[in-house]
Amino acid sequence: MVDAKKILVVEDESHLAKGLQFNLEREGYIVSLVDNGESAIELLGKQPFDLMILDIMLPKVNGIEVAKRVRNKDIRFPILMLSAKSSDEDRELGLEAGADDYLTKPFHLPELLLRVKGILRRWEWYKEPVHDQEVFHFGGMWINFVNGRAKGSSGEFYLTAKEALLMRLLVSQKDNIVRREELLEKVWGYDPQTETRTVDNFVARLRKYFEKKPQSPRYIITHREKGYEFKS
Amino acid sequence: MNKLRALFHPIMVFIGVQIAWIVLMVVWINWYLENNLSIKEFAQELRPDLFTAEVEWLILFEGCFLMLLILSGVYVIFVYWNKQNRLNQMQSNFVASVSHELKSPLASIQLYLETLKYQDVSKEDSKDFIETMLSDTARLSGLIENILQSSKADPKSMELQTQKIDLGQFLSEVVNDHKRQFEEKNCEVKLQLEASPVLILDKKALQMVFNNLIGNALRYSPVGSSLKIHLHRTGRFWDIDFMDKGIGFEKKDMKKVFKKFYRVQNKDTQNIEGAGLGLFISHEIVKNHKGRLKVMSPGRGQGSVFTVSLPISRGLTV
């Protein structure tokens, strides 16, 4: 049990929270429960966790606010949002606030467990060192993969969690072609709602940040029908 | 962006339209007065018979009347349009809250059923899961009852199925039904009965009232709080006080909480589920028993006391 992953479940519905705890513990995770956003932020400051399962409608500080506050400190920390709010707008709001995945209530237990596994797998991969240091330098620019801060062709800014993950994956395999499928799996976890075009859109965004001439890129190169390559 | 939205608020649009209309009238009257003489000369050449010395009072009166009619018409349309907008907003809020409230117990039931299906569960755990699911189904059926009652909560249409009830015993039973919820919220409940009168009441309806009041006390109180239920006589009424140490009310909300769909909107309540029906229905049920449902709160964060007053002789027959 030394390597058991720690999961923080933030859910004010006690029945659901207990059910989640039972199932996650059966899968070998160590689970902590809190029933409001304030306690969640407090506990995250005190203990390290590998994943947070977060409800939106929470007393004191709501889930969206919790996700935003966590993201401000750490762009990588995995968050799975679990909410009864099922409209597209709610989903977008959750993902924009920084959730890595969004599952609506009522949900299927096997699907929840698979998603938890998927997020933790991506998190593990992201934790692998990309370079000697957490800050990666190239062509007078740099990216800090811990806090998402970066210096691009036109100054300093913050990358979003997904942008940082994508960049991280490309950089970790620099001078090699990374297939679109691999990018999709590792960054988006094969969410059925994610189209392959999403990767192209994100790459276009990264080029705007880091390329002087995004139309004829120097660092992020497209290989037609194959994938993308980061050229050092 | 907010300023722009405020500018397009129906009231602002209405005021804007009225101002534009009055300005147009002023411009037109001004133009008419300035060109009055030349128009008159021109008209005299064409139709001299029009210029009789008498003022056409009937036409003038008709004109003013028509103008007033148009104005009041616009006003009535505006008032109803605004009302319709508010109703639409309330309906969508209601649908969102109800679907959210239905989904939570449903998600819990599904989770426990799937746990039983996919996991190897001990006999003890299975028993506990079944109890949890039953508690969730009770919550679901309570919510559905509330929705159904709210559609016929008109005092005239509500028929009471009355029977003799020992109020003290009945309250003990209701409190006992909520034992699990009290334990889950670590809530200390104290039932104080100064007497145990037998009254003629609609048991099912009164149970809804007590369920709603206890449910609210639990929902709007922090974990580890307390609830005191006190049955005592006050003049010609038997009063049942539900005293919680929850988030309480501001004075302005005290009367409104019994309105259909009304929910207190503040930082403490924004993330607490609710359809805004429970207190409305409870108020109507108590009123139908010729009683009163009142609320008192010293202020936000200082708890509240809901009092169900049932008349000693209610004039109802079994």
Side-chain angles (χ1 to χ4, degrees):
Chain A
M1 274 299 195
V2 179
D3 290 336
K5 298 272 179 276
K6 286 182 183 169
I7 299 179
L8 174 63
V9 176
V10 193
E11 172 62 74
D12 63 332
E13 288 284 333
S14 60
H15 293 178
L16 208 57
K18 276 185 193 167
L20 286 170
Q21 184 177 25
F22 180 88
N23 282 289
L24 291 168
E25 282 179 350
R26 277 292 169 99
E27 295 295 308
Y29 303 115
I30 298 169
V31 181
S32 300
L33 293 182
V34 287
D35 65 355
N36 66 73
E38 209 174 78
S39 307
I41 292 167
E42 212 178 286
L43 200 61
L44 280 169
K46 285 180 191 163
Q47 288 179 40
F49 287 95
D50 296 289
L51 168 74
M52 172 162 63
I53 297 180
L54 182 64
D55 185 17
I56 291 183
M57 294 278 276
L58 288 170
K60 293 180 186 172
V61 181
N62 70 36
I64 298 286
E65 190 55 36
V66 173
K68 279 183 185 168
R69 287 198 206 174
V70 171
R71 277 287 164 268
N72 281 341
K73 282 185 186 166
D74 185 350
I75 59 150
R76 307 179 302 177
F77 183 69
I79 301 171
L80 168 62
M81 257 185 198
L82 196 61
S83 172
K85 294 183 165 204
S86 54
S87 70
D88 285 346
E89 294 83 46
D90 293 323
R91 201 183 148 84
E92 269 170 38
L93 199 71
L95 294 173
E96 266 173 29
D100 294 270
D101 209 344
Y102 191 101
L103 197 58
T104 53
K105 295 176 193 171
F107 54 87
H108 287 293
L109 177 62
E111 188 185 353
L112 172 91
L113 296 174
L114 274 175
R115 291 207 189 198
V116 166
K117 258 186 202 165
I119 294 178
L120 287 170
R121 200 173 55 237
R122 293 202 292 281
W123 169 232
E124 269 306 299
W125 163 80
Y126 193 87
K127 278 202 293 191
E128 285 166 19
V130 63
H131 204 256
D132 297 343
Q133 292 158 352
E134 289 290 0
V135 183
F136 175 73
H137 293 267
F138 62 105
M141 296 175 280
W142 50 262
I143 302 169
N144 183 334
F145 287 111
V146 179
N147 58 17
R149 194 155 178 78
K151 191 187 172 212
S153 52
S154 53
E156 288 187 24
F157 64 99
Y158 276 99
L159 288 165
T160 66
K162 289 266 187 288
E163 287 165 354
L165 267 172
L166 187 59
M167 203 59 195
R168 170 85 171 64
L169 185 58
L170 291 171
V171 168
S172 69
Q173 299 184 39
K174 59 186 174 199
D175 302 322
N176 286 308
I177 298 171
V178 188
R179 286 177 302 109
R180 269 200 185 79
E181 290 74 25
E182 190 183 341
L183 289 170
L184 257 184
E185 200 223 330
K186 287 192 168 165
V187 180
W188 283 270
Y190 271 135
D191 187 331
Q193 292 192 354
T194 315
E195 296 169 18
T196 41
R197 271 188 63 83
T198 312
V199 182
D200 305 335
N201 292 338
F202 268 77
V203 167
R205 250 152 71 181
L206 291 175
R207 278 188 183 136
K208 270 188 199 165
Y209 299 146
F210 298 109
E211 302 282 2
K212 278 186 185 140
K213 287 181 190 166
Q215 291 85 1
S216 46
R218 149 89 179 78
Y219 299 105
I220 307 165
I221 313 295
T222 307
H223 291 273
R224 200 165 278 186
E225 290 178 11
K226 283 182 183 167
Y228 293 98
E229 178 193 351
F230 183 85
K231 267 206 156 92
S232 55
Chain B
M1 196 62 195
N2 275 344
K3 277 183 187 170
L4 200 72
R5 205 175 291 161
L7 211 64
F8 284 99
H9 189 275
I11 291 175
M12 297 306 282
V13 172
F14 177 70
I15 292 170
V17 168
Q18 294 306 311
I19 291 171
W21 188 75
I22 288 165
V23 167
L24 200 73
M25 286 294 284
V26 169
V27 169
W28 183 78
I29 289 167
N30 195 39
W31 177 83
Y32 176 77
L33 289 176
E34 274 178 12
N35 299 285
N36 187 21
L37 280 176
S38 43
I39 292 170
K40 242 182 192 173
E41 277 167 22
F42 180 65
Q44 212 153 20
E45 278 177 30
L46 289 176
R47 294 277 305 274
D49 52 305
L50 276 177
F51 291 86
T52 51
E54 284 168 41
V55 179
E56 294 275 4
W57 287 106
L58 185 68
I59 291 172
L60 187 69
F61 174 75
E62 270 179 14
C64 290
F65 178 71
L66 270 174
M67 206 170 84
L68 276 175
L69 210 67
I70 292 168
L71 257 178
S72 44
V74 170
Y75 179 73
V76 168
I77 290 170
F78 173 75
V79 166
Y80 278 93
W81 179 52
N82 229 9
K83 213 178 241 181
Q84 185 65 42
N85 266 353
R86 223 172 29 239
L87 281 174
N88 287 348
Q89 186 62 40
M90 267 163 80
Q91 193 207 18
S92 58
N93 284 350
F94 169 73
V95 171
S97 328
V98 164
S99 63
H100 193 259
E101 261 211 275
L102 287 170
K103 276 179 182 176
S104 291
L106 202 64
S108 168
I109 294 169
Q110 183 170 334
L111 177 62
Y112 284 104
L113 286 173
E114 289 193 341
T115 305
L116 291 170
K117 185 180 174 186
Y118 295 111
Q119 305 276 20
D120 192 14
V121 182
S122 71
K123 228 178 180 181
E124 227 172 76
D125 283 335
S126 311
K127 208 180 155 198
D128 186 46
F129 290 174
I130 289 165
E131 285 296 326
T132 309
M133 284 190 277
L134 284 174
S135 154
D136 282 324
T137 51
R139 197 175 136 194
L140 272 178
S141 91
L143 180 66
I144 292 164
E145 277 289 331
N146 273 352
I147 295 167
L148 292 177
Q149 276 293 340
S150 74
S151 65
K152 55 176 180 182
D154 176 13
K156 285 168 196 157
S157 71
M158 193 187 279
E159 270 183 38
L160 298 175
Q161 311 281 325
T162 56
Q163 56 179 295
K164 275 183 184 171
I165 292 172
D166 184 318
L167 199 54
Q169 196 187 333
F170 181 44
L171 272 170
S172 307
E173 282 169 20
V174 174
V175 169
N176 203 39
D177 289 345
H178 288 83
K179 207 174 148 194
R180 196 179 167 89
Q181 283 102 303
F182 288 128
E183 280 170 11
E184 280 164 2
K185 274 225 130 179
N186 197 14
C187 177
E188 189 196 331
V189 62
K190 192 178 170 194
L191 179 62
Q192 190 183 344
L193 307 169
E194 286 188 5
S196 194
V198 176
L199 298 179
I200 299 160
L201 305 166
D202 183 327
K203 195 173 181 181
K204 206 176 153 201
L206 251 292
Q207 185 155 14
M208 265 182 86
V209 175
F210 297 152
N211 283 348
N212 280 328
L213 294 177
I214 293 174
N216 279 355
L218 282 168
R219 184 182 299 191
Y220 294 102
S221 298
V223 176
S225 190
S226 67
L227 172 68
K228 186 179 170 188
I229 302 170
H230 184 200
L231 169 63
H232 58 102
R233 189 174 163 170
T234 310
R236 292 182 295 111
F237 288 90
W238 285 106
D239 280 358
I240 310 146
D241 299 330
F242 293 79
M243 290 175 261
D244 65 59
K245 290 186 176 159
I247 59 171
F249 290 99
E250 278 179 35
K251 212 172 178 183
K252 66 178 171 73
D253 289 318
M254 282 193 210
K255 269 191 181 170
K256 292 184 192 163
V257 290
F258 298 116
K259 282 186 178 172
K260 202 174 189 174
F261 301 132
Y262 185 81
R263 295 204 67 216
V264 176
Q265 302 287 345
N266 63 43
K267 212 178 151 229
D268 301 329
T269 60
Q270 64 183 357
N271 291 308
I272 300 178
E273 293 168 23
L277 290 176
L279 286 180
F280 164 72
I281 292 154
S282 304
H283 188 256
E284 294 302 318
I285 290 172
V286 177
K287 210 160 88 183
N288 268 285
H289 282 83
K290 297 192 169 53
R292 296 184 302 240
L293 175 58
K294 293 170 289 182
V295 62
M296 270 301 297
S297 173
R300 256 175 84 181
Q302 298 177 61
S304 49
V305 183
F306 281 89
T307 304
V308 178
S309 302
L310 296 167
I312 290 169
S313 56
R314 297 182 321 99
L316 292 169
T317 50
V318 186

